[in-house]
């Protein structure tokens, strides 16, 4: 973890682009609430296969016009160089200079992988075409990506993204801080020294968390799963327990040198803000 201590911690919030008028209004409210906490930036996710692509651009440009610092996610699977270039051009013109560069996942039924196979190719393309204009974040997987051939292959593939020009990384969420520390140590031993910011998922609904975690390969430790299961529909107890577990893990991560936290807010301010206040984070901007 030594390499991480030299970075000034950054705290950020992830949002997703809403599809309905009601969702758009709710997101406006959520970001106003979250902005009071003074995050370094907001990121906005990007749907693979076209589902929410336009919504990402609209949301990002609206937030930019309101004065927020925004980092759009951009996934390349199923896309072409031309399409990716058009989006990057729009961000470039709008003065948006931070991108979360991803491969993404092909939606079921879509067979064409497109012109980019991996996120490292997207990172290389951004560097080739826009030089150093963008600060590029990439994804990291302390519990390893579900499609990785092996642990070592996944680490090497992560290194490819950094070697291609990524500046820093945000992790998939996890509830086992040791997985993160171990991952960072493995990266250090490969000579990587970029900030690797833990992705934090507040615990809201047990069934939703199980569904997400199954698909993205994040492990819910047995004791946490059992405890959450035992609360059934008692949302207040799920939240109270989740806040204790997640805040405790964040404290440990920061204490041991994690270079900030990135919250998966799920477009809701409440739980993220509670964790933030318990941690007493004074974000610098
Ligand atoms: P990559 O880094 O390309 O890796 C994907 C897999 O391919 C891994 O198993 C890797 O080991 C392997 N691989 C990489 N390079 C090679 C190579 N050269 N040869 C062989 N194998 C290789 N998804 C979205 O659709 N929209 C979003 O906005 C979004 N935001 C995210 C934000 C964060 C912080 C994280 C952690 C994930 C996000 N995702 C998002 C999910 C992500 O798109 C998926 O996890 C996807 O499956 C992998 O994307 P990646 O960029 O990590 O891919």
């Amino acid at each position: 973890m030594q390499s991480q201590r030299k970075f000034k911690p950054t705290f950020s919030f992830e949002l997703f682009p809403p599809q309905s008028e009601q969702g758009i209004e709710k997101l406006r409210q959520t970001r106003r609430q979250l902005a009071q906490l003074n995050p370094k930036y907001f990121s906005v996710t990007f749907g693979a296969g076209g589902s929410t692509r336009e919504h990402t651009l609209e949301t990002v440009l609206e937030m930019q016009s309101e004065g927020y610092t925004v980092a759009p996610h951009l996934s390349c699977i199923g896309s072409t160089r031309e399409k990716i270039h058009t989006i990057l051009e729009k961000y470039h013109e709008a003065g948006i200079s931070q991108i979360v560069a991803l491969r993404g996942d092909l939606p079921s039924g879509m067979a064409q992988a497109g012109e980019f196979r991996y996120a490292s190719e997207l990172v290389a393309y951004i560097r080739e075409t826009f030089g150093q204009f963008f600060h590029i974040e990439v994804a990291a997987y302390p519990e390893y990506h579900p499609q990785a051939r092996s642990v070592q292959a996944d680490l090497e593939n992560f290194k490819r993204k950094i070697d291609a020009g990524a500046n820093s990384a945000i992790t998939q969420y996890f509830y086992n801080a040791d997985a993160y520390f171990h991952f960072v140590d493995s990266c250090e031993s490969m000579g990587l020294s970029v900030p690797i910011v833990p992705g934090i998922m507040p615990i809201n609904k047990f069934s939703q968390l199980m569904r997400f975690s199954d698909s993205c390969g994040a492990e819910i430790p047995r004791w946490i799963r059992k405890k959450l299961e035992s609360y059934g529909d008692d949302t207040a107890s799920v939240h109270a327990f989740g806040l204790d577990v997640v805040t405790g893990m964040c404290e440990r991560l920061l204490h041991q040198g994690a270079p900030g936290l990135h919250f998966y807010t799920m477009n809701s301010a409440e739980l993220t803000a509670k964790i933030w206040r318990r941690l007493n984070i004074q974000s610098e901007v």
Side-chain angles (χ1 to χ4, degrees):
M1 283 296 295
Q2 216 40 46
S3 67
Q4 299 295 302
R5 288 189 183 274
K6 64 175 187 255
F7 302 114
K8 196 168 170 187
T10 64
F11 298 92
S12 49
F13 296 138
E14 183 169 309
L15 307 169
F16 62 84
Q19 315 253 12
S20 66
E21 269 311 311
Q22 205 186 2
I24 292 173
E25 208 30 67
K26 180 172 183 263
L27 182 62
R28 288 183 181 129
Q29 219 175 50
T30 297
R31 65 185 182 243
R32 276 196 295 271
Q33 288 167 328
L34 289 172
Q36 289 171 13
L37 303 175
N38 223 10
K40 178 98 190 276
Y41 68 93
F42 288 93
S43 81
V44 179
T45 63
F46 186 86
S51 57
T52 63
R53 286 175 174 198
E54 288 73 24
H55 297 295
T56 303
L57 193 64
E58 281 162 22
T59 307
V60 165
L61 294 179
E62 180 178 319
M63 289 181 66
Q64 164 92 346
S65 73
E66 291 166 349
Y68 296 113
T69 304
V70 201
H73 294 211
L74 180 60
S75 65
C76 59
I77 195 101
S79 197
T80 60
R81 276 164 204 272
E82 197 187 337
K83 282 186 188 154
I84 293 288
H85 195 269
T86 305
I87 298 172
L88 288 167
E89 267 292 316
K90 288 191 175 141
Y91 291 139
H92 183 254
E93 274 166 27
I96 288 164
S97 58
Q98 185 172 350
I99 294 274
V100 184
L102 302 143
R103 183 197 72 176
D105 296 303
L106 275 181
S108 54
M110 193 194 234
Q112 291 297 319
E115 290 185 58
F116 297 91
R117 286 169 310 161
Y118 300 110
S120 55
E121 296 174 2
L122 175 61
V123 174
Y125 180 72
I126 299 173
R127 284 285 174 250
E128 250 166 60
T129 46
F130 290 89
Q132 297 301 313
F133 178 78
F134 291 105
H135 175 100
I136 306 177
E137 304 271 353
V138 288
Y141 300 85
E143 296 177 325
Y144 302 102
H145 187 267
Q147 291 157 5
R149 226 168 357 97
S150 67
V151 162
Q152 196 51 33
D154 210 28
L155 285 166
E156 279 159 16
N157 292 330
F158 176 65
K159 184 171 183 300
R160 280 178 219 275
K161 298 194 273 195
I162 308 303
D163 291 346
N167 301 96
S168 49
I170 302 168
T171 76
Q172 183 57 276
Y173 68 86
F174 53 84
Y175 296 101
N176 179 353
D178 289 323
Y180 168 80
F181 297 135
H182 197 268
F183 179 80
V184 170
D185 287 344
S186 303
C187 292
E188 259 177 43
S189 62
M190 295 173 85
L192 298 178
S193 64
V194 296
I196 301 174
V197 177
I200 303 298
M201 178 73 92
I203 297 177
N204 183 15
K205 286 197 185 101
F206 175 59
S207 55
Q208 188 189 47
L209 185 67
M210 288 304 290
R211 213 174 43 248
F212 282 159
S213 305
D214 278 349
S215 61
C216 70
E219 189 184 60
I220 314 292
R222 180 180 160 84
W223 70 277
I224 297 180
R225 183 163 49 82
K226 284 295 200 191
K227 198 85 180 173
L228 290 171
E229 232 166 28
S230 76
Y231 295 128
D233 294 332
D234 177 359
T235 309
S237 297
V238 169
H239 287 183
F241 173 72
L243 284 170
D244 285 346
V245 167
V246 176
T247 310
M249 183 179 75
C250 292
E251 276 168 350
R252 198 173 153 219
L253 289 166
L254 293 172
H255 181 70
Q256 296 199 30
L261 300 169
H262 177 82
F263 288 88
Y264 295 105
T265 71
M266 305 305 288
N267 287 6
S268 171
E270 187 195 341
L271 295 174
T272 296
K274 281 187 177 157
I275 298 168
W276 188 280
R277 292 203 172 98
R278 283 195 193 188
L279 291 170
N280 199 19
I281 294 171
Q282 309 294 326
S283 182
E284 46 38 89
V285 181

